[in-house]
């Protein structure tokens, strides 16, 4: 699976850019976008900022909201159904860092 993730650190007034990762999942594995983010954080880049809560995976709080291929979604419940994912922060929110936005 080919994954593009928007990266930005507003504390340093950085310009946003995309990092590209290849994860060993296929669109048939039925993994969530959160699983993909966890894999990237664990195996490639531990500095990746995204919202992960200990009781996540229920789709209740909405804090893990982001855009998946241009559409608003929750990372904890959205199945990664394509071989290419483009992950961006929600548009209507101010970016704190990477995929984390001001609530």
């Amino acid at each position: 699976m080919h994954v593009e993730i928007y990266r930005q650190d507003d504390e340093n007034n950085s310009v946003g850019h995309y990092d590209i990762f290849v994860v060993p999942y296929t669109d048939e594995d039925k993994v969530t976008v959160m699983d993909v983010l966890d894999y990237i954080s664990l195996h490639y880049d531990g500095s990746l900022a995204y919202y992960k809560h200990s009781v996540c995976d229920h789709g209740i709080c909405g804090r893990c909201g982001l855009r998946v291929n241009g559409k608003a979604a929750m990372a904890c419940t959205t199945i990664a159904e394509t071989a290419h994912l483009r992950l961006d922060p929600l548009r209507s929110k101010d970016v704190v860092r990477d995929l984390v936005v001001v609530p």
Side-chain angles (χ1 to χ4, degrees):
M1 182 176 292
H2 178 92
V3 184
E4 293 180 59
I5 300 179
Y6 183 81
R7 306 295 301 268
Q8 181 178 345
D9 183 357
D10 266 5
E11 286 184 11
N12 296 321
N13 294 320
S14 67
V15 176
H17 66 279
Y18 288 89
D19 283 349
I20 299 171
F21 303 93
V22 176
V23 296
Y25 297 131
T26 69
D27 53 349
E28 296 175 1
D29 286 331
K30 301 295 181 203
V31 296
T32 65
V33 172
M34 185 69 73
D35 293 329
V36 172
L37 290 169
D38 288 343
Y39 184 91
I40 291 169
S41 179
L42 183 63
H43 295 284
Y44 292 116
D45 188 348
S47 72
L48 175 62
Y50 61 102
Y51 190 82
K52 173 77 175 181
H53 191 271
S54 62
V55 293
C56 209
D57 298 335
H58 298 294
I60 297 170
C61 72
R63 292 180 183 157
C64 63
L66 46 72
R67 286 183 293 140
V68 178
N69 295 337
K71 296 182 181 180
M74 287 190 287
C76 70
T77 58
T78 301
I79 302 297
E81 297 178 312
T82 63
H84 178 89
L85 293 177
R86 183 174 179 140
L87 306 178
D88 294 282
L90 292 173
R91 282 189 188 146
S92 62
K93 306 284 185 166
D94 292 327
V95 175
V96 175
R97 193 171 128 223
D98 300 337
L99 301 173
V100 177
V101 295
V102 176

